[in-house]
């Protein structure tokens, strides 16, 4: 979704080029996933990492990333071979209403998530200092990202 | 904002799918435009006006209550 949002193609030719670029990203995702999965399984088998949860976490993320990368890569290759499907997908991604719906969805979800994290931050102050500091760091990062985005779009538009 | 897209489309005997294909948008966008649930961007308004060979003012009805 993030990759789709970040690449905006005005024409079908531009979209075809962006699909080719995306294929490289998805191939890298698949390779990274494979590496993570194999290192996770390797660590589990050789007991290099004492905590089983850590190796399970790494291999789980790796398998997920690898499967997503491969599936998206296959989908992209199919699109590049079929002009009709490519145009349909381009319209689906480039449609102004769809883009607005996605932006509003992300904005609303982001504001709700931020509000909930802020509420949790206040509650955690009375319960656990570690959780409080973690949530404070999350809130700080979100504020920095929001400010950075605001400055960027104020200058761009 | 009200519009005459459905009226003009029916006069031309064009389906929502055909209009959507011509405008490079989804059929859902055409449905939302016709229902007045979504206001077209300036670019889409121009494209629609060109397609129906009329002005934007002919296609979209601006009312005082549309002022935000």
């Amino acid at each position: 979704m993030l990759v789709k949002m970040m690449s905006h193609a005005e024409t079908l030719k531009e979209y075809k080029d962006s699909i080719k670029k995306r294929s490289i990203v998805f191939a890298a995702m698949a390779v990274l996933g494979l590496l993570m999965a194999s290192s996770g399984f390797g660590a589990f088998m050789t007991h290099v990492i004492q905590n089983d949860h850590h190796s399970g976490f790494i291999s789980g993320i790796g398998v997920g990333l690898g499967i997503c990368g491969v599936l998206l890569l296959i989908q992209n290759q199919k699109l590049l071979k079929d002009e009709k499907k490519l145009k349909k997908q381009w319209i689906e991604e480039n449609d102004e209403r769809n883009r607005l719906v996605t932006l509003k969805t992300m904005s609303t979800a982001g504001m709700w998530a931020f509000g909930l994290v802020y509420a949790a931050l206040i509650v955690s102050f009375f319960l656990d200092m570690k959780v409080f500091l973690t949530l404070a760091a999350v809130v700080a990062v979100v504020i920095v990202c929001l400010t950075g985005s605001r400055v960027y779009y104020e200058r761009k538009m | 904002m009200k519009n005459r897209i459905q009226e003009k489309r029916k006069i031309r005997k064009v389906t929502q799918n055909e209009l959507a294909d011509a405008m490079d948008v989804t059929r859902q966008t055409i449905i939302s435009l016709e229902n007045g649930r979504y206001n077209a961007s300036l670019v889409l308004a121009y494209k629609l006006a060109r397609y129906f060979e009329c002005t934007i003012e002919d296609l979209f009805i601006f009312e005082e209550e549309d002022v935000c």
Side-chain angles (χ1 to χ4, degrees), chain A residues 103-117:
Chain A
L103 280 175
K104 283 197 171 185
T105 306
M106 286 175 84
S107 161
T108 309
M111 288 313 290
W112 271 101
F114 185 67
L116 289 170
V117 168

Side-chain angles (χ1 to χ4, degrees), chain B:
Chain B
M1 186 182 281
K2 286 177 186 169
N3 63 68
R4 296 197 183 98
I5 295 170
Q6 191 173 36
E7 184 190 321
K8 297 234 179 223
R9 181 175 62 77
K10 282 184 177 169
I11 291 169
R12 282 202 168 210
K13 289 176 184 164
V14 177
T15 65
Q16 288 177 330
N17 258 332
E18 287 166 343
L19 182 60
D21 280 346
M23 296 296 109
D24 288 335
V25 295
T26 58
R27 186 172 155 256
Q28 189 55 50
T29 299
I30 300 296
I31 293 169
S32 295
L33 280 169
E34 288 186 354
N35 289 342
R37 285 202 307 263
Y38 173 70
N39 288 330
S41 69
L42 196 55
V43 175
L44 183 56
Y46 262 101
K47 282 168 91 175
L48 283 162
R50 268 192 192 172
Y51 183 84
F52 289 117
E53 292 165 330
C54 64
T55 61
I56 289 179
E57 288 88 345
D58 283 338
L59 204 54
F60 294 92
I61 305 143
F62 181 75
E63 289 165 339
E64 281 309 311
E65 62 210 50
D66 292 325
V67 180
C68 45

Side-chain angles (χ1 to χ4, degrees), chain A residues 123-142:
Chain A
V123 174
S124 67
F125 178 77
F126 301 102
L127 301 173
D128 192 328
M129 216 50 200
K130 271 184 189 170
V131 176
F132 171 76
L133 289 171
T134 309
L135 290 175
V138 170
V139 169
V141 168
V142 171

Side-chain angles (χ1 to χ4, degrees), chain A residues 40-113:
Chain A
F41 285 124
F44 177 73
M45 299 301 276
T46 55
H47 300 287
V48 175
I49 300 173
Q50 292 300 313
N51 192 335
D52 281 351
H53 290 296
H54 288 169
S55 55
F57 177 74
I58 292 168
S59 47
I61 295 266
V63 168
L65 205 64
I67 289 172
C68 283
V70 169
L71 289 177
L72 290 167
L73 194 62
I74 292 168
Q75 191 192 32
N76 265 15
Q77 293 309 307
K78 276 184 183 173
L79 283 178
L80 287 172
K81 283 176 189 163
D82 190 338
E83 285 288 323
K84 223 175 174 181
K85 273 188 186 170
L86 185 77
K87 190 174 182 195
K88 198 180 168 198
Q89 187 64 26
W90 172 61
I91 287 172
E92 199 68 41
E93 278 183 35
N94 210 43
D95 179 68
E96 58 175 54
R97 183 181 156 277
N98 276 352
R99 292 184 74 84
L100 188 68
V101 167
T102 308
L103 280 175
K104 283 197 171 185
T105 306
M106 286 175 84
S107 161
T108 309
M111 288 313 290
W112 271 101

